[in-house]
């Protein structure tokens, strides 16, 4: 039977929703047990939050001053040591997971399975390729530990209401000194996080300028939504790159996605394939975005958005 270790992602003492999505992917294996590991300088608060996820056997709390910041080269040796007791090690396919999990796989001498979007068996998984235009089935060796990142846009959050035991764990692993934390630069906003938001309003090249992008922010604030952007808008300097949605940006799955002035290049569509309802507003009736939109409105966004806001 499979035993799965899920690596918790957290920041500033709060558990990231991606962790609960990894648990959903782990549950698809019908495993004997699912454990979560929290690595931090003081893991108690995050571990207590993780223990509330349903279906968890226990939470391993690894306290170490070296874990104050999420440095892949520091966390990976500790996870690799713990992996000896598990058949699978899952992490989210986020910036955190994409940085960390390849290091874990390398230390264990295995090939990583990336962007798991479906589980067909204990060692058989589906993942997207070619910007999501094709789905491939991959087979991991049955006699090796499976190290995988979970495509969080493809999985719901596992239910809450659990009460797993939290166990302090000491890991005897040699930690490198050649990598050190310098600083974390991240945009601050009162709006919801783009990757976990239920509603997202995105603007594209059609918005025209950084000043005009205010109309996107205003609509998002009316809806309590996060703000996104196409690569064209980011490259034009309208907004910072942490707002980019698409193949080279963030892969998201909100319940509502409103694309404003976005033509719908395949690279952008890759990032929103799993959205619940897609609304497109564009003055070009032949824009590719209308082919996948659930609701489409052809017209001038500078007329439509103020009217929409007045109704809201």
């Amino acid at each position: 039977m499979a035993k799965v270790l899920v690596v918790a992602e957290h920041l500033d003492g709060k558990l990231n929703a991606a962790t609960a999505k990894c648990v959903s992917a782990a549950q698809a294996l019908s495993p004997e047990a699912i454990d979560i590991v929290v690595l931090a300088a003081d893991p108690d608060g995050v571990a207590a939050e993780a223990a509330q996820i349903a279906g968890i056997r226990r939470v391993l709390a690894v306290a170490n001053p070296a874990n104050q910041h999420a440095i892949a080269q520091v966390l990976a040796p500790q996870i690799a040591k713990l992996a000896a007791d598990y058949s699978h090690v899952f992490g989210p396919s986020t910036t955190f997971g994409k940085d960390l999990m390849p290091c874990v796989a390398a230390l264990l001498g295995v090939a990583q399975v990336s962007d798991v979007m479906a589980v067909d068996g204990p060692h058989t998984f589906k993942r997207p390729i070619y910007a999501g235009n094709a789905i491939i089935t991959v087979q991991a060796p049955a006699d090796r530990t499976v190290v995988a990142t979970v495509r969080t846009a493809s999985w719901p959050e596992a239910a809450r209401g659990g009460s797993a035991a939290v166990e302090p764990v000491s890991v005897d692993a040699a930690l490198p000194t050649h990598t050190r934390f310098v600083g974390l630069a991240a945009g601050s906003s009162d709006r919801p996080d783009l990757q976990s938001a239920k509603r997202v309003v995105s603007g594209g090249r059609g918005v025209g300028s950084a000043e005009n992008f205010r109309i996107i922010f205003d609509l998002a604030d009316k809806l309590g939504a996060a703000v996104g952007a196409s690569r064209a808008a980011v490259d034009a300097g309208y907004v910072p790159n942490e707002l980019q949605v698409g193949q080279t940006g963030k892969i998201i799955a909100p319940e509502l996605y409103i694309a404003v002035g976005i033509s719908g290049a395949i690279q952008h569509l890759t990032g929103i394939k799993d959205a619940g309802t897609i609304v497109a507003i564009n003055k070009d009736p032949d824009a590719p975005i209308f082919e996948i939109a659930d609701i489409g409105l052809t017209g001038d966004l500078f007329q439509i958005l103020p009217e929409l806001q007045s109704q809201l």
Side-chain angles (χ1 to χ4, degrees):
M1 289 290 288
K3 292 175 64 178
V4 188
L5 180 66
V6 173
V7 181
E9 178 176 353
H10 57 92
L11 182 65
D12 297 331
K14 295 182 179 179
L15 188 70
N16 190 294
T19 304
K21 294 185 176 185
C22 287
V23 171
S24 286
Q27 289 170 339
L29 291 165
S30 299
E32 175 187 342
I34 302 173
D35 293 345
I36 295 177
V37 59
V38 177
L39 301 103
D42 181 7
D44 293 347
V46 176
E49 191 177 352
Q52 298 175 17
I53 300 176
I56 299 303
R57 180 181 64 172
R58 60 179 178 164
V59 177
L60 308 180
V62 182
N64 189 325
N67 297 337
Q68 177 69 35
H69 303 287
I71 302 174
Q73 289 71 22
V74 173
L75 302 185
Q78 301 172 71
I79 297 169
K81 281 280 187 179
L82 294 170
D85 296 327
Y86 298 90
S87 60
H88 297 68
V89 182
F90 281 3
S93 188
T94 58
T95 302
F96 166 81
K98 289 177 180 178
D99 185 37
L100 171 62
M101 301 307 287
C103 297
V104 176
L107 290 173
L108 294 176
V110 300
Q112 176 185 288
V113 181
S114 301
D115 292 325
V116 170
M117 63 184 302
V119 173
D120 289 347
H123 297 86
T124 309
F125 310 93
K126 283 186 170 62
R127 65 177 300 269
I129 59 172
Y130 302 133
N133 286 302
I135 307 301
I136 189 172
T137 300
V138 295
Q139 185 84 30
D143 60 343
R144 308 295 294 273
T145 303
V146 176
V147 177
T149 58
V150 173
R151 189 176 189 268
T152 53
S154 299
W155 299 91
E157 292 183 35
R160 304 286 171 162
S163 57
V166 177
E167 297 184 12
V169 175
S170 177
V171 181
D172 183 17
L175 304 183
T177 57
H178 66 279
T179 303
R180 62 189 177 90
F181 178 82
V182 174
L184 175 64
S188 59
S189 173
D190 293 332
R191 298 182 182 89
D193 174 68
L194 179 56
Q195 284 196 289
S196 59
K198 302 298 184 185
R199 306 169 187 168
V200 175
V201 180
S202 281
R205 191 199 307 271
V207 177
S209 68
E211 293 75 20
N212 289 346
F213 222 86
R214 171 51 52 190
I215 198 170
I216 303 297
F217 287 111
D218 289 345
L219 178 59
D221 290 342
K222 282 277 190 179
L223 293 169
V227 173
S230 68
R231 178 169 181 171
V234 171
D235 287 349
Y238 300 169
V239 290
N241 60 10
E242 64 255 27
L243 299 186
Q244 184 176 322
V245 173
Q247 183 182 4
T248 53
K250 291 182 169 66
I251 308 297
I252 60 175
E255 295 173 1
L256 172 65
Y257 184 79
I258 302 178
V260 181
I262 294 175
S263 63
I266 187 61
Q267 291 84 358
H268 185 79
L269 302 185
T270 296
I272 61 170
K273 283 181 180 293
D274 295 304
T277 299
I278 298 175
V279 178
I281 300 173
N282 199 299
K283 67 179 181 181
D284 178 7
D286 297 321
I289 190 73
F290 286 124
E291 295 179 11
I292 65 145
D294 299 288
I295 301 170
L297 184 56
T298 303
D300 185 343
L301 68 91
F302 297 106
Q303 294 179 0
I304 292 171
L305 262 58
E307 292 177 11
L308 181 57
Q309 287 191 51
S310 68
Q311 293 299 318
L312 291 170

